[in-house]
Amino acid sequence: MDDKLNDFLKQCLANMQAHVTIAELTKVSPSWGHMNYMPEVHKYYYILDGEGCFKLNDTLYEAKAGQLYLLPAGVKQTLSTSGSNTCYKYWCHFTASIGDINPFQIMKLPYRIEVDNALSGFVETLFRDMIAHMRRKELVSALKVKSLFFDLLHFYMERAEITEVRTEASLTYEKMKTVAAYMNGHLASDLTTEELARLFHLSPNYFTQQFKEMLGVTPIQYLKRLRLAEAKKLLRTTAMSVTEIASAVGMELHYFSRLFKSSESFSPKEYRQLYRKRSVIDSRE
């Protein structure tokens, strides 16, 4: 995955909203199962013991201990037991969105990962604490549940390969990704919302609304972030003057200096000096 795409996906994930609706530890009955249904919620299953048979779309999985499943909403599922030793599992249902888009259509993840024995206790603790906090009445318990859920998602995504898919539901994502790439390639230009909207034959207001729903910021705010990130890179890696860097990222010097200090709490020159001092210290250690 290239750096620009990686940065864009990070921004998408930063704006991801999620809510755990239920979490439990269950030993399923021999009659447990669901046939060819498409749930409206996402699900996690962590198998502790026993066996089961999961068919997800057209792929058949033998569910066994040590496996963690992520079953996205909208995926055709057939779930059943496969013997007398039925599945003993932690599980939870949750909703998730990035703007109005299903994140698991933007990022295609495998439906299953294997959890090493050394990490099984960590995963069990996440589920156990999630269940405990969902049962508590304290106000902060809701925040703890969300924190534990994102820890679980982080654990899963670190061990799963992400691939992009193009579906009808992810067209907005594809457009926004193209806009971000265009911005990166034209940092020195005097870009406007109107110009960016014209790229996709959209009205500026509608374009701004769609962009903010996806990334949580307006196109111009996102462009400022890109320019500041590029400016910091140039300050660290080149001998260009601050004036030259301001021009390279499409800003007037006085505005660039003011925006940089507001964002970083240092002027561009102070930032460069601080980075060089840190580099010298690091080289001595």
Side-chain angles (χ1 to χ4, degrees):
M1 187 182 297
D2 63 73
D3 290 342
K4 290 179 181 179
L5 175 56
N6 186 69
D7 289 344
F8 186 74
L9 287 174
K10 283 169 61 179
Q11 186 68 45
C12 289
L13 286 172
N15 289 287
M16 179 175 170
Q17 299 295 317
H19 175 64
V20 179
T21 58
I22 187 172
E24 294 290 346
L25 172 62
T26 304
K27 176 74 169 178
V28 304
S29 68
S31 62
W32 173 83
H34 307 279
M35 296 294 293
N36 290 322
Y37 85 123
M38 298 177 68
E40 296 182 356
V41 295
H42 312 294
K43 297 181 289 185
Y44 269 121
Y45 287 167
Y46 181 50
I47 313 300
L48 298 175
D49 191 19
E51 299 174 345
C53 187
F54 297 171
K55 185 177 181 182
L56 309 172
N57 283 330
D58 296 321
T59 304
L60 191 64
Y61 298 87
E62 294 183 9
K64 297 180 180 179
Q67 296 173 344
L68 178 60
Y69 286 83
L70 172 57
L71 310 182
V75 171
K76 186 171 68 174
Q77 303 172 20
T78 294
L79 314 176
S80 63
T81 57
S82 57
S84 58
N85 186 19
T86 60
C87 285
Y88 183 47
K89 60 184 175 69
Y90 279 109
W91 58 278
C92 73
H93 292 179
F94 65 96
T95 60
S97 63
I98 299 173
D100 59 352
I101 295 173
N102 177 350
F104 303 115
Q105 289 181 329
I106 291 177
M107 302 169 294
K108 185 176 181 181
L109 296 168
Y111 297 134
R112 179 183 72 187
I113 62 171
E114 303 285 342
V115 179
D116 294 337
N117 289 335
L119 294 171
S120 61
F122 173 74
V123 177
E124 288 185 47
T125 298
L126 289 178
F127 275 103
R128 183 171 60 247
D129 289 352
M130 192 186 305
I131 293 169
H133 282 283
M134 289 197 73
R135 292 174 178 173
R136 292 177 182 169
K137 296 182 179 180
E138 292 91 340
L139 188 63
V140 295
S141 290
L143 294 177
K144 186 62 177 177
V145 170
K146 182 169 287 191
S147 173
L148 290 163
F149 168 78
F150 279 114
D151 284 344
L152 183 61
L153 181 62
H154 174 261
F155 177 89
Y156 197 97
M157 290 183 64
E158 272 197 324
R159 290 156 181 80
E161 181 180 353
I162 302 173
T163 59
E164 289 183 81
V165 292
R166 291 191 178 190
T167 67
E168 185 174 327
S170 65
L171 286 177
T172 301
Y173 162 74
E174 292 297 328
K175 288 182 179 181
M176 295 305 105
K177 186 184 70 173
T178 302
V179 171
Y182 184 85
M183 288 181 179
N184 266 300
H186 296 80
L187 293 180
S189 302
D190 184 19
L191 294 178
T192 65
T193 300
E194 288 75 15
E195 178 183 351
L196 294 169
R198 280 197 299 270
L199 292 173
F200 301 100
H201 310 289
L202 300 174
S203 72
N205 288 341
Y206 182 74
F207 170 74
T208 299
Q209 176 189 344
Q210 291 292 302
F211 195 100
K212 191 169 183 179
E213 282 186 4
M214 172 67 74
L215 296 184
V217 293
T218 67
I220 298 305
Q221 289 170 332
Y222 186 74
L223 180 60
K224 288 178 182 178
R225 291 184 183 181
L226 294 178
R227 284 172 165 161
L228 286 173
E230 179 65 15
K232 288 192 288 184
K233 177 183 175 182
L234 294 174
L235 286 167
R236 295 193 306 265
T237 61
T238 75
M240 293 171 65
S241 69
V242 173
T243 300
E244 291 171 330
I245 291 174
S247 178
V249 298
M251 296 193 215
E252 296 290 337
L253 177 60
H254 70 282
Y255 177 70
F256 168 68
S257 298
R258 179 161 53 86
L259 181 64
F260 193 98
K261 188 164 187 178
S262 175
S263 172
E264 304 300 321
S265 300
F266 297 101
S267 70
K269 288 183 179 179
E270 290 170 338
Y271 177 87
R272 174 175 270 168
Q273 292 168 354
L274 181 63
Y275 178 79
R276 287 175 177 172
K277 286 180 181 179
R278 286 178 176 175
S279 297
V280 170
I281 293 172
D282 290 344
S283 67
R284 291 174 179 172
E285 292 182 349

